[in-house]
Amino acid sequence: MTGGSVAGGYAGRRDLRALFDPASIAVVGASNTERKWGNWLAKGALRGAHRRRVYLVNRRGGEVLGHTAFSSIAEVPGGVELAVVCVPADQFEGTVRQALASGARAIIGISAGLGETGPDGHRREQAVAALVRDAGAVLLGPNCLGILDHPGALYLTSNDLPAGPVGLISQSGNLAIELGIKAAAAGLGFSRFASLGNQADLDVADLVADFAATAHVEAIALYCEDFRDGRRFLEAAEAANRAGKPVVLLSVGMSPASVTAARSHTGALVSGVRSIDAACRATGIERVSSPQELVDVLAGLLLGTAPAGERVAVVADGGGHGAVAADVVSAAGLTVPAFSPELASRLSVLTGTTGSTANPVDLAGAGEEDVWSFARVLEAIVTSSEVDSVLLTGYFGGYGQYSEELRGAELEVAEAVVALAHGAGMPVVVHTMHEGADFSEALARLQVGRLPVVNRVEAAASVLARLVRRAASSPEGLPDSVPALPRPLVDGYFGARLLLEDAGIVFAPARAVHDSDEALAAARAIGYPVVLKAPVLEHKSDAGGVVLGLADDQSLERAAKAMWEQHGAEPLSVEAMLDVSSGVELLVGGFRDARFGPLVLVGLGGVYTEVMADTATGLAPVTEEHACRLISSLRGAPLLLGVRGRPRLDIEAASRAVAAVSRVAASRPDVIEIEVNPLLVCREGAFGLDARMVLRMPQPGSGS
Amino acid sequence: MTGGSVAGGYAGRRDLRALFDPASIAVVGASNTERKWGNWLAKGALRGAHRRRVYLVNRRGGEVLGHTAFSSIAEVPGGVELAVVCVPADQFEGTVRQALASGARAIIGISAGLGETGPDGHRREQAVAALVRDAGAVLLGPNCLGILDHPGALYLTSNDLPAGPVGLISQSGNLAIELGIKAAAAGLGFSRFASLGNQADLDVADLVADFAATAHVEAIALYCEDFRDGRRFLEAAEAANRAGKPVVLLSVGMSPASVTAARSHTGALVSGVRSIDAACRATGIERVSSPQELVDVLAGLLLGTAPAGERVAVVADGGGHGAVAADVVSAAGLTVPAFSPELASRLSVLTGTTGSTANPVDLAGAGEEDVWSFARVLEAIVTSSEVDSVLLTGYFGGYGQYSEELRGAELEVAEAVVALAHGAGMPVVVHTMHEGADFSEALARLQVGRLPVVNRVEAAASVLARLVRRAASSPEGLPDSVPALPRPLVDGYFGARLLLEDAGIVFAPARAVHDSDEALAAARAIGYPVVLKAPVLEHKSDAGGVVLGLADDQSLERAAKAMWEQHGAEPLSVEAMLDVSSGVELLVGGFRDARFGPLVLVGLGGVYTEVMADTATGLAPVTEEHACRLISSLRGAPLLLGVRGRPRLDIEAASRAVAAVSRVAASRPDVIEIEVNPLLVCREGAFGLDARMVLRMPQPGSGS
């Protein structure tokens, strides 16, 4: 970990030194009343009074927390670098103006009741943000809970957080406190914290960029509801990741209820799960779903060594623990391979155990007999090249309770285990059956040595699985931005086909027909049997808008007549009927996320789309190689790759089609959604059989 | 919960009063040496000396733990009811004989080194078990860790366990200790515990039956590696479940490594995951994969109320917690529906919150302002009929830390929440962001009121999901046993077809042919195109053993010649070629589990078998109704039920076929495996296209 500047860094970084390392602070709204923000923040600021000048400001002047309070920030002699503003919303603008006038280079807006209350509040805070920027300063918040920097003794928030190597950026105060509690239990903590609030000026991208460039931040934990300029955020996250500072994101937006909740909470524009997943895959962000998972994954990443593969050795003192661990490790998608007879018998000799030594290893009481058995077993395993990681499960950490002598021995063994793991560069994750690391100095020693110690075996397995997946894949990278092309001239089905054909998709031959004569002429030109479609219907196949296998003039004429009667005088489409039986249908779509921009989605198509819900998403545009990886990541990919004697299908053609759709999505800001469904992937070629497009409503006066 | 006898009870229950409620105990092998079993057990037994006579026995006599030790159990005046035997293996038989001679009605075999060491040890412990049974007594173990009964002050094991309403049966000592630690954190504990050991006499079925009939056991927790007489175990579990005492099973056998581990640990014959799942679905056993999950699920079941549906209200004091909870609840398969405008505005009025009240509810500080907000919100929700359960998430339990007054208020609110939940009969599950219930009297009060309190929001969601699933389905019940039919006369493909056709499966017409003339005659009788198969190959389609679509004499003759050349002079099969394009292929199989007996398996067939791994299993035989539920439980079931304009297929015919295969599996003990794959399900009818069978090796001298 190097500090200061970030290699291959992030260009748009703003200077946040006045925020995180100010020479002077004023807390405006400082108060003597307990359980008020102005009280908490004033107390916190004073904790760093040995490092910087701290001024308390209260409209009524007088004395606050034993210090003379200024009645206005304007009165502070020599001005202040950082102003923490916790005044009622109606005094917010005035206070910020005064702070800027006093030379403040950074403002923390604690005040609530602005942007999150609606359009009026939003306009007000935007105006304040513009003032701040014009003054060359920065604004965090408003409606935020402050910041914290342990090495800098900067405590400007309501609750303390345990100290440690992680930087935390959060859009929720209580979640930050929960992360603090869970991190402490895991032997982890935070070097720097920032609450996002309404992001009127500084946004998540600015903070990630700052944290990535801060020496004492080794990893970044993030709870974020609204990613604002999503691509800028991703550039910052990518730079952090490249600098060896992994980003772990606790996100919401996986359910309609959470989207509504976040909108109500901070007025956030929440991105959907598909967008967030694509964004994470592009930049190496690790996405988690809960505070505990965030802490577990951080512990795994801070270990600093990556497993070379999925082979796990399970070491237990007790057969039940070994068997249960083997199952949860397997369920996590890893393997617990049987050791070679040589290694197994070496382990038997080393430990004298009567239990199994073939993996899982069961010391069967040998650990209790001689706690050094663990170190001997670990040494033989990590030097064996038969596995890629070790899960130590069960009783370890509890032997020390029997006697002072055992306590000392267990502590030394813990030290030895740490040295073995780091010496061999092999991840060792520890499940302890005991209450937690508080219980035992040996477990705490493992944590100090950066080995993850968890008290649920399933958490140990899932951390290992996460490390294996992370090591096995590299981030896709951010796509280059592409020049915007104009709004398509033709809307609807035929417009979508035109756009997609232009991009390189091959469709089944089709002709728009307006009457029976045109229909028959088209069918003869294309060749029977044909398909007849009513393109006016968005979901054609659900509404009788598609008739397949029309074999002659008579049946075509009858079908066309019925369709015109049912759906009006719109043109119909007469199309070639391809043989779908030997191909596999994919769904390929492009769409726009309000924050992350254009995306492309590919999934198993036809009836399997709904049944299997098997899709993958990438930031658009994607290259053909990236498209191929997306297709290959589907659970149904073996259907295309050839299984059980089935032929290998033309994945290259499918990849070209996915890349083409992604280019359309990326280059046409007016195309909100576009879809080829199905794309029939055959042994040679991939063919669009249907298409659909949604255009943005023309803006009044935009001329389009 | 009623005690004493179990309604609709379990017939084969053995009398275990001498084991769990003895009038007198002798600990044989009692010792003064710390960290020896004989020391732990003697100390434990003496803790109950106010309830019963306790004798310590040591070969060398003298004094043990301040009591005069007998040098042999034979010397104990008046004999003993329960003998706890912790002597070296070579003294085991002799000690048991002496104990029985002294009138012992129950023996606990702590001694290790018998059945788990191999066939010799197994024979020795079987002989001892026979002795014990002949004397009308019972034997627990050997190689077990003893028993415990809190209400009876019976402490005959190495470690204490927290007291509570659960009965624990475990085949692992360290796992039992881990369960004790995790149960205590959840406010739970154990009334009775038994360690299974080698199950030489008493087995898991006996213990489950005893626990089910014990008044102070309200739920049964089980870690078991070997189910012995599986159907008898299931009868006991079914009786327990019917008596309102749910059984939660931590099982192993989900991975090859755990099967090997368990075999090495206790010589267990481990059942596979499919067998265990079928067994659980039949009897209402809840299967879990880890100690923490076991405790979480127990807490949910002990709540005693079941959600009527999947609608969850999320209540938080903080928008982040509400949004994250909404996502994890949705990910668990439940819904977080928006409240009606009436309920939402009522909640706003009740709490004065500025946060969201539409679900998730965000008190946005109103909880901190007035902790009674929680009770008011809960009351409005549980009486609204808009949801089926409530997840309270985040800060609750932490307000009391601010002042003595708030501590009291929060405690009263906790009391009110318990009363509201039970009054409305609506499950309320609590996620606390704080360290655990130790942290707060309010959380402890919720636990006393049987509300599950967990510190991971994902655990709260998964407990709720478990309760919803459990309430929505009733156990399938155990199948009746069927008379055994003789070994099939014909083996191989043709034998399998015969057996299955006899059971009612309709196959594509086929004829065995031995030369070209027979092949051509067969094809003409069946009608071209035909399929040609080499039944001698087990995996025909992988080895060039199937040729499809032979349209005339010439191509059939050529294909047959090639097949005879490649695979020898075995008969080939000429078969009708059905049109598979409009049907869906299933795999239907029957197999035997060493413990649970015959089972039937159904899955999505053809290439999807491997790609989707989508199967369901039932104890055989199954009824057609049960078969239909198995098919409907597949993720791919919509393919049969008709989706997106596809026709509904003949699920009834498929169900009949599954039931038929299950009858074959159940009635033919010599058929180890039998499979119809694929079974083509069409709009009318379901047709076997291929079959496979494995017969047990004929036993020497069995005449078959």
Side-chain angles (χ1 to χ4, degrees):
Chain A
M1 305 295 155
T2 61
S5 78
V6 173
Y10 168 77
R13 182 153 70 88
R14 293 173 72 183
D15 182 354
L16 303 190
R17 274 176 301 181
L19 184 65
F20 288 111
D21 189 18
S24 56
I25 300 179
V27 177
V28 189
S31 164
N32 280 315
T33 312
E34 300 264 329
R35 296 184 59 210
K36 272 199 157 183
W37 277 94
N39 181 262
W40 286 324
L41 291 169
K43 280 182 187 160
L46 290 169
R47 285 174 66 193
H50 59 295
R51 298 282 291 261
R52 61 185 67 82
R53 287 173 287 129
V54 176
Y55 305 100
L56 305 185
V57 178
N58 184 298
R59 280 209 292 181
R60 288 183 297 274
E63 202 165 85
V64 174
L65 300 172
H67 295 257
T68 304
F70 295 87
S71 64
S72 154
I73 193 171
E75 292 169 17
V76 173
V80 290
E81 199 170 0
L82 169 64
V84 184
V85 180
C86 33
V87 298
D90 58 358
Q91 298 162 32
F92 185 66
E93 287 96 332
T95 306
V96 171
R97 274 180 204 279
Q98 286 180 331
L100 294 174
S102 319
R105 312 292 299 158
I107 313 274
I108 298 178
I110 302 291
S111 310
L114 291 145
E116 76 278 15
T117 61
D120 261 10
H122 182 70
R123 270 189 298 273
R124 278 176 60 199
E125 77 179 21
Q126 284 303 309
V128 173
L131 270 182
V132 172
R133 276 194 299 266
D134 287 349
V138 297
L139 166 67
L140 184 69
N143 190 28
C144 90
L145 311 173
I147 63 172
L148 184 149
D149 188 90
H150 268 294
L154 189 69
Y155 304 103
L156 299 176
T157 186
S158 62
N159 288 64
D160 210 352
L161 288 169
V166 181
L168 173 62
I169 300 167
S170 176
Q171 208 160 1
S172 156
N174 278 352
L175 276 177
I177 301 172
E178 178 165 7
L179 290 170
I181 293 168
K182 289 180 161 51
L188 291 180
F190 303 97
S191 49
R192 180 170 284 191
F193 162 70
S195 162
L196 279 174
N198 293 354
Q199 307 186 66
D201 176 36
L202 291 176
D203 65 9
V204 60
D206 295 316
L207 289 158
V208 169
D210 173 83
F211 281 36
T214 299
H216 58 254
V217 171
E218 295 182 38
I220 299 172
L222 182 55
Y223 172 72
C224 186
E225 295 174 356
D226 189 335
F227 293 94
R228 313 300 286 231
D229 186 341
R231 293 276 170 123
R232 209 173 130 255
F233 158 69
L234 293 178
E235 283 165 22
E238 188 178 53
N241 199 49
R242 230 185 279 131
K245 306 191 177 188
V247 179
V248 185
L249 167 66
L250 172 57
S251 65
V252 291
M254 313 299 130
S255 66
S258 81
V259 172
T260 312
R263 194 175 297 141
S264 155
H265 181 208
T266 49
L269 202 46
V270 179
S271 298
V273 57
R274 288 170 168 176
S275 312
I276 293 175
D277 274 343
C280 291
R281 262 201 308 276
T283 52
I285 295 173
E286 295 292 331
R287 181 169 82 76
V288 296
S289 308
S290 76
Q292 186 63 58
E293 193 187 5
L294 185 142
V295 169
D296 292 344
V297 169
L298 277 174
L301 293 170
L302 287 167
L303 173 57
T305 54
E310 59 183 26
R311 302 168 304 166
V312 182
V314 171
V315 178
D317 192 4
H321 272 120
V324 168
D327 272 353
V328 300
V329 165
S330 303
L334 307 177
T335 60
V336 183
F339 290 149
S340 66
E342 294 71 35
L343 178 55
S345 74
R346 197 169 151 222
L347 293 176
S348 296
V349 172
L350 282 173
T351 61
T353 180
T354 58
S356 163
T357 52
N359 200 17
V361 176
D362 172 15
L363 293 178
E368 196 176 319
E369 285 295 314
D370 176 4
V371 71
W372 280 99
S373 302
F374 283 98
R376 287 196 293 270
V377 165
L378 259 289
E379 180 168 26
I381 290 172
V382 300
T383 55
S384 74
S385 81
E386 294 192 16
V387 292
D388 307 299
S389 64
V390 180
L391 169 52
L392 179 59
T393 181
Y395 205 83
F396 189 84
Y399 300 105
Q401 67 190 306
Y402 293 125
S403 70
E404 193 56 31
E405 189 193 332
L406 263 171
R407 201 188 57 75
E410 196 177 29
L411 207 53
E412 284 175 39
V413 171
E415 199 79 68
V417 167
V418 168
L420 285 165
H422 290 293
M426 184 178 289
V428 175
V429 173
V430 181
H431 157 244
T432 173
M433 58 181 269
H434 306 292
E435 190 82 358
D438 285 353
F439 175 81
S440 148
E441 286 168 280
L443 296 174
R445 189 66 58 96
L446 294 173
Q447 288 183 336
V448 168
R450 291 271 171 111
L451 303 194
V453 177
V454 297
N455 62 9
R456 292 173 305 117
V457 64
E458 61 271 40
S462 87
V463 165
L464 277 176
R466 172 85 67 160
L467 294 181
V468 170
R469 277 200 307 277
R470 184 174 175 84
S473 66
S474 39
E476 289 289 349
L478 290 171
D480 296 328
S481 64
V482 290
L485 295 175
R487 181 184 176 83
L489 294 174
V490 185
D491 197 354
Y493 173 63
F494 294 109
R497 280 185 63 126
L498 276 176
L499 209 55
L500 291 162
E501 281 177 332
D502 199 44
I505 307 266
V506 181
F507 279 90
R511 289 195 188 182
V513 300
H514 299 79
D515 57 36
S516 282
D517 289 345
E518 283 187 21
L520 298 182
R524 285 177 206 136
I526 289 166
Y528 282 109
V530 296
V531 175
L532 184 69
K533 286 184 192 166
V536 66
L537 299 173
E538 191 175 328
H539 294 287
K540 297 183 264 301
S541 62
D542 289 345
V546 179
V547 183
L548 302 172
L550 296 166
D552 52 37
D553 283 4
Q554 203 186 350
S555 46
L556 173 59
E557 215 166 357
R558 200 164 39 220
K561 202 173 153 216
M563 234 177 237
W564 270 307
E565 273 169 17
Q566 200 187 339
H567 302 301
E570 296 287 336
L572 302 181
S573 181
V574 173
E575 313 197 350
M577 173 134 169
L578 302 195
D579 173 19
V580 302
S581 65
S582 62
V584 165
E585 293 178 359
L586 294 182
L587 170 164
V588 185
F591 63 101
R592 290 199 159 251
D593 181 85
R595 295 313 193 202
F596 292 112
L599 292 113
V600 67
L601 173 147
V602 60
L604 216 52
V607 292
Y608 293 96
T609 305
E610 274 122 280
V611 172
M612 299 303 177
D614 187 16
T615 61
T617 321
L619 298 178
V622 296
T623 61
E624 286 172 30
E625 293 69 36
H626 183 180
C628 187
R629 283 190 293 275
L630 287 175
I631 295 171
S632 304
S633 75
L634 298 173
R635 276 184 295 131
L639 296 175
L640 294 126
L641 297 166
V643 282
R644 299 219 322 175
R646 283 173 67 105
R648 188 181 186 286
L649 303 180
D650 195 343
I651 286 204
E652 293 71 23
S655 303
R656 282 194 298 275
V658 170
V661 170
S662 82
R663 286 194 303 273
V664 172
S667 60
R668 302 280 183 168
D670 289 308
V671 175
I672 297 174
E673 274 179 61
I674 189 159
E675 188 179 281
V676 182
N677 185 16
L679 177 82
L680 181 71
V681 187
C682 301
R683 292 175 75 152
E684 288 192 22
F687 307 94
L689 301 189
D690 204 1
R692 199 175 65 78
M693 174 166 72
V694 179
L695 293 184
R696 191 190 306 277
M697 297 288 282
Q699 299 300 304
S702 72
S704 62
Chain B
M1 306 295 157
T2 60
S5 78
V6 172
Y10 169 76
R13 183 154 70 87
R14 293 176 73 185
D15 182 354
L16 303 190
R17 275 174 302 181
L19 185 64
F20 287 111
D21 189 18
S24 56
I25 301 179
V27 178
V28 189
S31 164
N32 280 317
T33 311
E34 301 264 332
R35 297 184 60 210
K36 273 202 157 183
W37 278 93
N39 180 264
W40 287 323
L41 291 167
K43 281 181 185 159
L46 290 169
R47 284 174 65 193
H50 59 296
R51 298 281 291 262
R52 60 185 67 84
R53 288 175 287 130
V54 176
Y55 304 101
L56 306 185
V57 178
N58 185 300
R59 281 208 291 181
R60 289 182 296 274
E63 201 166 85
V64 174
L65 300 171
H67 296 256
T68 305
F70 295 88
S71 65
S72 154
I73 193 171
E75 293 168 17
V76 174
V80 288
E81 200 171 358
L82 169 63
V84 184
V85 179
C86 33
V87 299
D90 59 357
Q91 298 161 32
F92 186 65
E93 288 96 333
T95 305
V96 170
R97 276 179 204 278
Q98 286 181 329
L100 294 173
S102 319
R105 311 292 297 160
I107 312 274
I108 298 177
I110 302 292
S111 310
L114 290 145
E116 77 278 14
T117 60
D120 261 10
H122 183 71
R123 271 189 296 274
R124 279 176 59 199
E125 77 179 19
Q126 283 302 310
V128 173
L131 269 181
V132 172
R133 275 194 300 267
D134 288 347
V138 297
L139 165 67
L140 184 69
N143 190 28
C144 90
L145 312 174
I147 63 171
L148 182 150
D149 188 90
H150 268 295
L154 190 69
Y155 305 103
L156 300 175
T157 186
S158 61
N159 286 65
D160 210 352
L161 288 169
V166 180
L168 173 62
I169 300 166
S170 176
Q171 208 160 0
S172 156
N174 278 353
L175 276 178
I177 301 172
E178 177 165 11
L179 289 171
I181 293 168
K182 288 181 161 50
L188 291 180
F190 302 98
S191 49
R192 182 170 283 190
F193 162 70
S195 162
L196 279 174
N198 293 354
Q199 307 186 65
D201 177 35
L202 292 176
D203 65 9
V204 59
D206 295 316
L207 289 158
V208 169
D210 172 82
F211 280 37
T214 298
H216 58 254
V217 171
E218 295 182 37
I220 299 172
L222 182 56
Y223 172 73
C224 185
E225 294 174 357
D226 189 334
F227 293 94
R228 313 301 286 230
D229 186 340
R231 294 276 170 123
R232 209 174 131 254
F233 159 69
L234 292 179
E235 284 165 22
E238 188 178 52
N241 199 47
R242 232 187 275 131
K245 306 190 177 188
V247 179
V248 185
L249 166 66
L250 172 56
S251 64
V252 291
M254 312 299 129
S255 66
S258 81
V259 171
T260 312
R263 193 176 298 140
S264 153
H265 181 207
T266 50
L269 204 43
V270 179
S271 298
V273 57
R274 289 168 167 177
S275 312
I276 293 175
D277 273 343
C280 290
R281 262 201 308 275
T283 52
I285 295 173
E286 296 292 331
R287 180 169 81 75
V288 296
S289 309
S290 77
Q292 187 62 57
E293 193 187 6
L294 185 142
V295 169
D296 292 344
V297 169
L298 277 174
L301 293 169
L302 287 166
L303 173 57
T305 55
E310 59 184 25
R311 302 169 305 168
V312 182
V314 171
V315 178
D317 192 5
H321 272 120
V324 167
D327 272 353
V328 298
V329 165
S330 304
L334 306 178
T335 61
V336 184
F339 290 149
S340 67
E342 294 72 34
L343 178 55
S345 74
R346 200 171 148 219
L347 293 176
S348 296
V349 172
L350 282 172
T351 60
T353 179
T354 58
S356 163
T357 52
N359 200 18
V361 176
D362 171 16
L363 293 177
E368 195 176 319
E369 285 295 316
D370 176 4
V371 71
W372 280 98
S373 302
F374 284 99
R376 288 196 292 271
V377 165
L378 258 288
E379 180 169 27
I381 290 172
V382 300
T383 56
S384 74
S385 81
E386 294 192 14
V387 292
D388 308 300
S389 64
V390 180
L391 169 52
L392 179 58
T393 181
Y395 205 82
F396 190 84
Y399 301 105
Q401 68 188 308
Y402 293 124
S403 70
E404 193 56 32
E405 189 194 332
L406 263 172
R407 199 188 57 75
E410 195 177 32
L411 206 53
E412 286 176 37
V413 171
E415 198 79 68
V417 167
V418 168
L420 284 166
H422 288 294
M426 184 178 288
V428 175
V429 173
V430 181
H431 155 244
T432 175
M433 59 182 267
H434 306 292
E435 189 82 358
D438 285 354
F439 175 80
S440 149
E441 286 169 280
L443 297 173
R445 188 67 60 95
L446 294 173
Q447 288 183 336
V448 169
R450 292 268 172 112
L451 302 195
V453 178
V454 297
N455 63 9
R456 293 174 303 117
V457 64
E458 60 273 38
S462 88
V463 165
L464 277 176
R466 172 84 67 158
L467 294 180
V468 170
R469 277 200 306 277
R470 183 174 175 85
S473 66
S474 38
E476 289 288 350
L478 289 171
D480 296 328
S481 64
V482 291
L485 294 175
R487 182 183 176 83
L489 294 174
V490 185
D491 197 354
Y493 173 64
F494 294 109
R497 279 185 64 125
L498 276 176
L499 210 53
L500 290 162
E501 281 177 333
D502 200 44
I505 306 266
V506 182
F507 278 90
R511 289 195 190 183
V513 299
H514 299 80
D515 57 34
S516 281
D517 288 345
E518 283 186 22
L520 298 180
R524 285 175 205 137
I526 287 167
Y528 282 108
V530 295
V531 175
L532 185 69
K533 287 184 192 164
V536 67
L537 299 173
E538 191 174 330
H539 294 285
K540 296 183 265 301
S541 62
D542 289 346
V546 179
V547 182
L548 301 173
L550 296 166
D552 52 36
D553 284 2
Q554 201 187 350
S555 45
L556 173 59
E557 216 165 354
R558 200 166 35 223
K561 200 171 156 221
M563 235 178 236
W564 271 306
E565 275 170 15
Q566 198 185 342
H567 303 301
E570 296 287 333
L572 302 180
S573 182
V574 173
E575 313 196 352
M577 172 132 171
L578 301 194
D579 172 20
V580 303
S581 65
S582 61
V584 165
E585 294 178 357
L586 295 182
L587 170 164
V588 185
F591 63 100
R592 291 199 158 248
D593 181 85
R595 295 313 192 200
F596 292 112
L599 292 111
V600 68
L601 173 147
V602 60
L604 216 52
V607 291
Y608 292 96
T609 305
E610 274 122 280
V611 172
M612 299 302 176
D614 186 16
T615 61
T617 321
L619 299 177
V622 296
T623 61
E624 287 172 27
E625 293 69 37
H626 184 180
C628 187
R629 282 190 293 276
L630 287 175
I631 295 171
S632 305
S633 75
L634 298 174
R635 276 183 295 129
L639 297 175
L640 294 126
L641 296 165
V643 282
R644 301 219 320 179
R646 282 173 68 104
R648 187 182 187 285
L649 302 181
D650 196 344
I651 286 204
E652 292 71 23
S655 303
R656 283 194 298 275
V658 171
V661 171
S662 83
R663 286 193 305 272
V664 173
S667 60
R668 302 281 183 169
D670 288 308
V671 175
I672 296 173
E673 274 179 63
I674 189 159
E675 187 178 283
V676 182
N677 184 16
L679 177 81
L680 180 70
V681 188
C682 301
R683 291 174 75 152
E684 288 191 23
F687 307 94
L689 300 189
D690 204 1
R692 199 174 64 81
M693 174 165 73
V694 180
L695 292 183
R696 190 189 307 275
M697 297 290 281
Q699 299 300 306
S702 70
S704 63

